[in-house]
């Protein structure tokens, strides 16, 4: 049976669910349940894909595990095409998973404009699904821009007191980057059309465009800028801490859990195959930016007084490590960084969830208002410590597997970078332990009334903790999924494949 | 074989998880019983393993862990006599510590968390002991690191104690960076992390690489085993409950570093330079620890510095190429140091949590139950002739003395002097605490402590007293341990010392040690020594100012730079710059027209305008072509 239509369902079900949520918004209870149930259906659909035993099939849009391809704007040669491979499968799983977490944590905290809130949340999920599956550049670009809208409103309406500044900053940064990408995209489209007479936005066709090194360099730079802002790489990262601090918990979770991954993903999926020569030339730059990001953000994180900002900076540091892997371009490091996308999505989301819970109780995110919380909320403390350990890469938990693969893989190709990266991981340990210390340990502040996590919250945390342990102890199946993605790149870009080896 | 080893690990793991999941709701007795039973189960398995598996080597793969391409690691065990005897020691000492803890923590409300960490600690240590590949080893290694963090900072309400836990974790992590790089380098050189694979392919190593690997492994061991220059965490780690100190110092954590060097010895021994460095680090650490111990007033800190010193001997032994001596000393140390710590825990509880030895005194009369165990431990630590630590320390000194080159003679001399300082600092503490003094404690100033806590120490005391029997240099049962370990790669059963050396050294050092002991007795007779050198005392008390040095050279600049980077570079530099750019654009647009209202809707409008322009451009282009 041809199950490829499932991809369409996966993309449009959340959008549909969002509309339902919008129209049931006047009955908040119903709206929440509808959103939750539809999201669970979405997640089950994706989990179903894991069990289908999919095999890569060569089609008109390339070799994918599953693909759909429909004519869309025929005049432009744009087609609506989606493709699934191991990496995108894991990322859409992550998206659906994180989205359920978002719905659950907003269950009681969001009381204003419930319908619109869930609409934006689900609409964002739909966008991200499309983003991770798109194989046509026009589709990709449109979704890339549209996904800003729900995020913009999530921060701007339900955020904290300085939300307008944050949401506009977010918008301007993202827009600034992607405008250049648009120009490059149109240029590529035109060049390809001139060369072959066939105007198309299909990734597979466009990778075969002949470009002079200079043109390729410029076009690649434009793409890189857009994706670097999203990742974010130092020095275009300053929007992230601001947006995180102002965003509602669900917004932060979505942002850290998934949105940051789109930059890395797009770099790997689009920019690298489209401009292999320039990409290869840029690898030392990527490594350098990654290292700088890792040290710089890790260092700054220590000085933070706002716990949410600290977690935001830790995201930048973690993304830096993944970018290093992209720059050293080695099978082990790449597999590790793919896994790390997922791991970071889970662990950092969990930390943001817990910070949100703290904020609810203390009405503050300043370290000066915390301390000694373990005494009053031991279960919370246990979970917080657990996720903090996951973030600092304790072996046996998820982050370690990704990190050690990146580190060892990096060392095989560029020992010096590998050693620096090993040292960089030490910074993570320092600030994470400091965070735990300032938050949980020390003298308890007596006058404050806090309550430990209740059953509803424990449920969320357990759901988050399960994959942390599972990936930490048995990452095999996921790593095997990524093999197909790496082969895919080899297929698309033989030039890059040589460097990848293995 | 699989079952024995798996169960050995699963018992403590299960015990730890039960206590953890209960979230403090288990009744006190049950919680303690679960924890003790778990360790007892592991102990039984270790004994069965010891009896049934004998001197064989077994590789037992359990399940695949991380595999990508050619890189493959699994949860696999390598059981050999070295691992067997280590597992036996770890489980036995931990079992006693658990029993003792059940009594020691009788008034603490957080006992579930305590026992949970304690079990996990043993579990991690057993992983280190048994693992077959370096990544699995690293799992246990970091597990131990985490558990020590949690246990040292167990009384988290005191910020200083919590900070001590963090310090332990961070400082050992610095060593782990070296170990991590060593792992990466191992994979680079051998294409595998399996110990058996490494043992079998030593031929691929070039001298330079061997040296690098040896030094990196030493770096890892430095962190965990608190060797110079990473010693600073250990004295602070005294912040934890006393049984935890016993566990960290005797049975588990600090010996892990020495054990790593023993496990990787086939690689290390190929590089004379790495060996000499290891020996040097070990030798100077013995001296550092001994000096530091001389200056302390806190009973636990005296023991902590003595641990640094004693572990130095183990590392020195590895550097001298004698892993049997290293293992021998590791065992004796495990017995007498856990004994001493638990004795001091008893004493501390009896004197109302007072740690200062100069505020004790008279305790021989007041705490008769603990007097003899403590005495045995102290004698063993001082290497009193014919008692436990004497034989192991002698073997190490001999191995160092016959080491190649002049430099080993220097190491030998340093370690020998440190050995002579050992009875001085040990009995300085012992006499101050136990001898009759006019300003000592009276019966009213003593809190009753369960005698169980003293009785339970006797098995350890007997072992500390008699563990020289394991490897007597003469008579029946001569060199039993050495023969038992002889199948381990790189071990030397008989030190190739010229005849007579052994005897001379034994007798000589024995005589000096007894002399030092007598001197100590006279010197610290009440009312105590009359000489005073405040500068020197402060110097020793502060651990030769190493901790202060690090604090000012590393910690303070690190923190300051973090704030500077954040405030001036990130917020002030990059962000201001970008904001400034945005503002100028905004001003431009304000000049241009009506749409820079700052309202959300405007920006959405802008988006749609942009998209429209984009589509029109595309459409236009399509028309033109």
């Amino acid at each position: 049976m041809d199950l490829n239509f499932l991809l369409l369902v996966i993309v449009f079900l959340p959008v549909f669910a969002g509309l339902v949520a919008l129209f049931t918004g006047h009955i908040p209870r119903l709206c929440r349940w509808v959103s939750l149930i539809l999201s669970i259906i979405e997640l089950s659909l994706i989990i179903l894909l894991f069990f289908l035993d999919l095999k890569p099939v060569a089609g008109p849009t390339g070799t994918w595990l599953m693909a759909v391809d429909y004519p869309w704007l025929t005049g432009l040669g744009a087609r609506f095409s989606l493709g699934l491979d191991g990496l995108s499968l894991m990322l859409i799983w992550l998206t659906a998973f994180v989205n359920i977490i978002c719905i659950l944590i907003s269950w009681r905290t969001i009381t204003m404009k419930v319908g619109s809130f869930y609409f934006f949340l689900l609409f964002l999920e739909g966008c991200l699904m499309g983003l991770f599956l798109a194989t046509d550049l026009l589709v990709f670009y449109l979704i890339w821009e549209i996904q800003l809208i729900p995020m913009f409103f999530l921060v701007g309406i339900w955020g904290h007191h300085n939300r307008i500044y944050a949401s506009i900053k977010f918008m301007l940064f993202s827009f600034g980057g992607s405008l250049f990408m648009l120009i490059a995209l149109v240029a590529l489209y035109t060049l390809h059309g001139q060369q072959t007479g066939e105007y198309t936005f299909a990734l597979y066709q466009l990778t075969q465009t002949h470009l002079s090194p200079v043109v390729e360099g410029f076009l690649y730079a434009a793409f890189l800028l857009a994706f670097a802002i999203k990742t974010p790489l130092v020095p275009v990262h300053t929007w992230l801490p601001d947006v995180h601090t102002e965003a509602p918990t669900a917004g932060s979770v979505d942002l850290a859990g998934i949105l940051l991954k789109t930059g890395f993903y797009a770099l790997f999926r689009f920019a690298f195959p489209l401009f292999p020569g320039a990409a290869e030339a840029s690898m030392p730059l990527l490594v350098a930016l990654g290292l700088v990001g890792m040290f710089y953000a890790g260092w700054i994180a220590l000085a933070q007084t706002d716990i949410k900002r600290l977690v935001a900076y830790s995201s930048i540091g973690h993304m830096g490590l993944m970018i290093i892997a992209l720059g050293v371009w080695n099978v082990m490091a790449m597999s590790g960084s793919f896994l790390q996308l997922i791991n970071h999505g889970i662990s950092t989301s969990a930390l943001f969830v817990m910070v949100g819970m703290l904020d609810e109780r203390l009405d503050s995110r300043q370290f000066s208002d915390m301390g000694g919380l373990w005494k009053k909320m031991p279960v919370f403390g246990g979970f917080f410590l657990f996720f903090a350990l996951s973030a600092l890469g304790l072996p046996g938990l998820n982050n370690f597997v990704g990190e050690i693969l990146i580190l060892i893989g990096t060392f095989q190709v560029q020992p010096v970078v590998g050693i620096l990266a090993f040292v960089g991981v030490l910074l993570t340990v320092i600030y994470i332990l400091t965070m735990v210390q300032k938050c949980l340990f020390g003298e308890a502040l007596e006058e404050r009334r806090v309550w430990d996590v209740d059953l509803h919250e424990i449920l969320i945390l357990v759901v988050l903790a399960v994959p942390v342990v599972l990936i930490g102890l048995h990452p095999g199946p996921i790593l095997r999924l990524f093999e197909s993605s790496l082969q895919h790149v080899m297929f698309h870009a033989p030039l890059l494949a040589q460097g990848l080896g293995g | 074989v699989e079952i024995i080893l798996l169960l050995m690990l699963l018992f403590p793991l299960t015990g730890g998880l039960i206590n953890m999941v209960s979230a403090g709701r288990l009744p006190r007795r049950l919680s303690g019983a679960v924890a003790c039973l778990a360790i007892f189960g592991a102990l039984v398995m270790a004994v069965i393993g010891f009896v049934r598996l004998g001197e064989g080597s077994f590789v037992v793969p359990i399940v695949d862990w991380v595999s990508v391409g050619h890189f493959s690691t699994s949860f696999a065990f390598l059981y050999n006599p070295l691992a067997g005897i280590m597992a036996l020691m770890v489980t036995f000492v931990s079992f006693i510590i658990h029993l003792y803890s059940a009594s020691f923590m009788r008034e603490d409300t957080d006992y579930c968390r305590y026992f949970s960490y304690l079990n996990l600690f043993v579990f991690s240590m057993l992983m280190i002991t048994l693992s077959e590949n370096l990544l699995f080893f690293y799992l246990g290694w970091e597990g131990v690191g985490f558990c020590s963090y949690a246990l040292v900072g167990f009384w988290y309400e005191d910020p200083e104690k919590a900070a001590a836990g963090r310090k332990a974790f961070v400082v050992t992590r610095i060593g782990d960076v070296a170990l991590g790089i060593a792992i990466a380098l191992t994979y680079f050189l051998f294409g595998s992390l399996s110990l058996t694979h490494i043992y079998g392919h030593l031929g691929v190593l070039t001298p330079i690489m061997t040296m690098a690997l040896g030094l990196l492994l030493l770096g890892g061991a430095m962190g965990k085993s608190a060797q110079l220059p990473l010693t600073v965490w250990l004295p602070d780690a005294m912040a934890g409950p006393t049984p935890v100190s016993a566990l960290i110092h005797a049975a588990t954590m600090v010996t892990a570093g020495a054990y790593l060097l023993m496990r990787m010895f086939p690689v290390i021994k190929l590089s004379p330079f790495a060996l000499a460095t290891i020996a040097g680090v070990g030798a100077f650490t013995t001296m550092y620890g001994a000096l530091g111990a001389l200056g302390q007033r806190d009973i636990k800190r005296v023991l902590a510095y003595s641990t640094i010193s004693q572990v130095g001997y183990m590392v020195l032994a590895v550097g001298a190429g004698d892993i049997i001596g290293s293992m021998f000393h590791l065992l004796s140390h495990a017995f007498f140091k856990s004994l001493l710590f638990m004795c001091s825990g008893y004493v501390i509880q009896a004197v109302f949590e007072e740690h200062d030895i100069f505020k004790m005194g008279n305790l021989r009369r007041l705490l008769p139950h603990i007097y003899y165990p403590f005495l045995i431990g102290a004698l063993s630590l001082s290497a009193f002739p014919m008692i436990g630590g004497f034989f192991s320390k002698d073997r190490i000194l001999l191995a160092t003395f016959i080491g190649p080159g002049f430099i080993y003679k220097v190491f030998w001399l340093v370690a020998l002097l440190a050995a002579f300082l050992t009875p001085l600092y040990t009995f300085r503490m012992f006499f101050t605490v136990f001898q009759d003094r006019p300003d000592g404690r009276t019966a009213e100033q003593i809190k009753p402590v369960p005698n169980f806590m003293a009785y339970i120490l006797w098995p350890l005391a007997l072992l500390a007293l008699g563990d020289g029997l394991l490897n007597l240099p003469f008579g029946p049962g001569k060199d039993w341990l050495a023969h038992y370990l002889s199948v381990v790669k790189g071990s030397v059963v008989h030190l190739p010392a010229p005849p007579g050396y052994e005897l001379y050294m034994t007798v000589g050092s024995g005589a000096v040690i007894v002399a030092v002991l007598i001197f100590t007795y006279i010197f610290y007779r009440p009312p105590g020594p009359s000489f005073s050198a405040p500068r020197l005392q402060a110097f020793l008390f502060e651990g030769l100012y190493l901790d202060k040095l690090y604090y000012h050279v590393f910690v303070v600049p690190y923190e300051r730079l973090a704030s500077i980077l954040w405030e001036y570079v990130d917020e002030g530099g990059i962000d201001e710059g970008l904001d400034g750019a945005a503002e100028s654009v905004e001003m431009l647009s304000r000049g241009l027209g009506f749409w820079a209202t700052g309202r959300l809707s405007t920006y959405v409008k802008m988006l749609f305008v942009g998209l429209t322009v984009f589509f029109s451009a595309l459409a236009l282009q399509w028309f033109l072509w």
Side-chain angles (χ1 to χ4, degrees), chain B residues 218 225 227 258 261 278-279 281-282 311-320 326:
Chain B
L218 171 64
S225 288
Q227 298 296 294
L261 295 179
I278 291 172
V281 167
V311 178
Y313 283 106
M314 298 171 209
V315 174
L316 172 65
V318 174
S326 184

Side-chain angles (χ1 to χ4, degrees), chain A residues 75 149 165 169 175 182 235 237-238 296 299 302 304 309 313 335 375 389 395 412 422 427 434 442 472-473 475, chain B residues 65 68 71 139 142 146 156-157 163 166 169 180 184 187-188 558 562 566 570-571 574-575 579 600 607 614 622:
Chain A
I149 302 172
Y165 169 73
K169 195 168 183 177
F175 241 23
L182 174 62
H237 64 282
T238 52
Y296 180 75
W299 213 314
L302 185 71
Q304 299 308 311
R309 259 187 121 77
Y313 274 109
S335 309
K375 184 95 190 158
L389 291 173
Q412 308 308 310
F422 265 112
L427 301 194
T434 308
L473 293 180
Chain B
W65 185 20
V68 174
F71 180 80
L139 171 64
E142 289 297 306
F146 160 68
Y156 55 84
E157 282 164 63
R166 181 177 53 155
F169 205 6
Y187 179 68
F188 178 71
Y558 185 87
W566 179 39
D570 209 50
E571 299 271 301
I574 302 176
D575 200 38
D579 268 5
L600 297 184
L607 173 69
F614 166 58
W622 177 64

Side-chain angles (χ1 to χ4, degrees), chain A residues 75-76 138 142 149 152-153 164-165 167-169 173 175 182 186 189-190 194 199 235 237-238 242 296 299-300 302-305 309 313 331-332 335 374-375 385 389 392-396 400-401 404-405 408 411-412 419 422-423 425-427 429-430 433-434 436-437 440-443 472-476 479, chain B residues 23 63-71 75 109-110 113 117 135 138-139 142-143 146 149 153 156-159 162-163 166 169-170 173-174 177 180-181 183-185 187-188 193 557-559 561-563 565-566 569-571 574-575 578-579 582 598 600 603-604 606-608 611 614-615 618-619 621-622 625:
Chain A
L76 286 170
L138 188 63
L142 288 179
I149 302 172
F152 175 75
F153 284 114
I164 304 291
Y165 169 73
S167 56
I168 290 174
K169 195 168 183 177
F173 264 89
F175 241 23
L182 174 62
V186 174
Y189 170 76
T190 325
Q194 282 169 348
Y199 285 90
H237 64 282
T238 52
D242 282 328
Y296 180 75
W299 213 314
I300 288 181
L302 185 71
Q304 299 308 311
T305 52
R309 259 187 121 77
Y313 274 109
V331 172
M332 237 176 115
S335 309
W374 192 302
K375 184 95 190 158
L385 184 63
L389 291 173
L392 68 72
L394 191 77
F400 171 73
V401 181
I404 200 75
L405 283 175
I408 297 184
F411 188 86
Q412 308 308 310
I419 290 172
F422 265 112
V423 177
V425 174
L426 186 64
L427 301 194
V429 178
I430 295 174
L433 289 184
T434 308
V436 171
Q437 168 120 8
L440 297 180
F441 301 150
E443 201 79 43
L473 293 180
H474 192 56
L479 289 171
Chain B
V63 66
D64 187 61
W65 185 20
V66 184
S67 300
V68 174
H70 302 298
F71 180 80
F75 294 114
T109 48
D110 227 354
R113 187 162 64 96
Y117 287 147
L135 207 64
Y138 195 68
L139 171 64
E142 289 297 306
F146 160 68
Y149 162 70
Y156 55 84
E157 282 164 63
D158 181 348
R166 181 177 53 155
F169 205 6
V170 171
R173 259 283 176 145
I174 294 173
V177 170
I181 298 171
I183 291 175
L185 184 63
Y187 179 68
F188 178 71
L193 294 177
Y558 185 87
E559 283 175 351
L561 197 57
S563 317
L565 273 180
W566 179 39
V569 179
D570 209 50
E571 299 271 301
I574 302 176
D575 200 38
L578 292 169
D579 268 5
L600 297 184
Y603 293 92
V604 184
M606 280 164 65
L607 173 69
F608 285 118
L611 286 178
F614 166 58
F615 279 117
L618 284 185
Q621 208 163 37
W622 177 64
W625 261 283

Side-chain angles (χ1 to χ4, degrees), chain B residues 182-454:
Chain B
I183 291 175
L185 184 63
T186 307
Y187 179 68
F188 178 71
L189 294 172
F190 294 97
S192 166
L193 294 177
S194 146
L195 288 176
T196 38
H197 181 94
I198 295 171
Y199 296 161
H201 294 77
L202 293 171
V204 303
L205 287 169
T206 57
I208 282 285
M209 284 303 159
T210 325
M211 191 187 83
L213 201 54
L215 293 181
L216 286 169
L217 288 171
L218 171 64
M222 264 178 201
K224 275 280 183 300
S225 288
Q227 298 296 294
L228 284 174
L230 299 179
T231 47
V232 290
W233 65 269
L234 199 86
D236 284 2
M238 293 301 102
T242 309
V244 171
S245 309
L247 193 60
I248 291 181
H249 285 232
T252 56
M253 183 133 169
V254 294
T255 56
Y259 185 75
L260 167 70
L261 295 179
M262 289 183 230
R263 273 290 225 208
M264 291 297 283
F265 188 68
V267 175
I268 295 169
K269 81 168 177 189
L270 296 178
S271 165
F273 182 78
L275 278 179
T277 315
I278 291 172
V281 167
F284 286 103
T285 307
T286 58
M287 199 58 188
Y288 171 81
L291 287 177
L294 263 181
Q296 302 306 312
R297 299 175 66 92
D298 179 334
I299 184 168
K300 284 179 77 181
R301 285 177 86 95
V302 174
L303 293 175
Y305 275 100
S306 84
T307 302
I308 295 177
S309 173
Q310 298 302 311
V311 178
Y313 283 106
M314 298 171 209
V315 174
L316 172 65
V318 174
D322 181 21
I323 56 171
I324 290 174
S326 184
M327 193 65 200
F328 189 21
H329 197 58
L330 196 157
L331 292 177
S332 3
H333 176 254
F335 299 136
F336 67 67
K337 192 52 66 67
S338 53
L339 174 65
L340 281 172
F341 264 115
M342 286 192 275
C343 289
S344 73
Y346 181 97
V347 169
I348 289 170
Q349 284 203 338
V351 295
F352 298 95
E353 301 297 321
E354 177 59 65
H355 283 225
D356 190 338
I357 52 174
F358 292 103
K359 293 181 183 159
M360 297 177 187
N362 292 346
L363 294 188
R364 178 181 180 178
R365 250 187 308 116
L366 300 169
L367 300 173
H369 292 296
I370 207 68
Y371 180 71
Y372 285 103
F374 207 124
L375 178 63
I376 291 171
L379 286 176
S380 186
L381 169 60
S382 318
F384 192 79
M386 312 313 281
I387 288 185
F390 178 68
F391 296 109
S392 51
K393 209 178 271 180
D394 247 20
R395 179 171 170 127
I396 293 172
L397 288 171
L398 183 62
T400 317
F401 187 71
I402 59 173
F406 175 69
I407 191 79
Y408 276 88
K409 298 284 187 291
V410 177
F411 297 155
W412 171 76
L413 193 64
V414 173
L416 188 68
L417 288 177
F420 294 154
L421 284 179
T422 313
L424 183 62
Y425 69 70
T426 314
F427 278 90
R428 165 181 171 267
M429 166 184 75
F430 185 79
F431 290 141
T432 321
V433 171
F434 283 102
Q435 289 304 84
D436 285 341
R437 276 194 293 153
D439 57 342
R441 296 260 161 176
T442 57
E444 299 88 65
Q445 291 168 315
I446 292 291
K447 184 178 157 192
V449 179
N451 285 332
F452 174 76
M453 275 168 61

Side-chain angles (χ1 to χ4, degrees), chain B residues 358 428 432 519-520 522-532 537:
Chain B
F358 292 103
R428 165 181 171 267
T432 321
F519 168 76
T520 317
I522 297 168
F523 192 63
Y524 284 99
R525 230 174 6 179
S530 51
F531 103 113
S532 124
Q537 274 170 357

Side-chain angles (χ1 to χ4, degrees), chain A residues 8-21:
Chain A
L8 285 180
V9 178
I10 285 169
V11 174
F12 287 106
L13 179 66
V15 179
F16 167 73
L19 290 174
V20 174

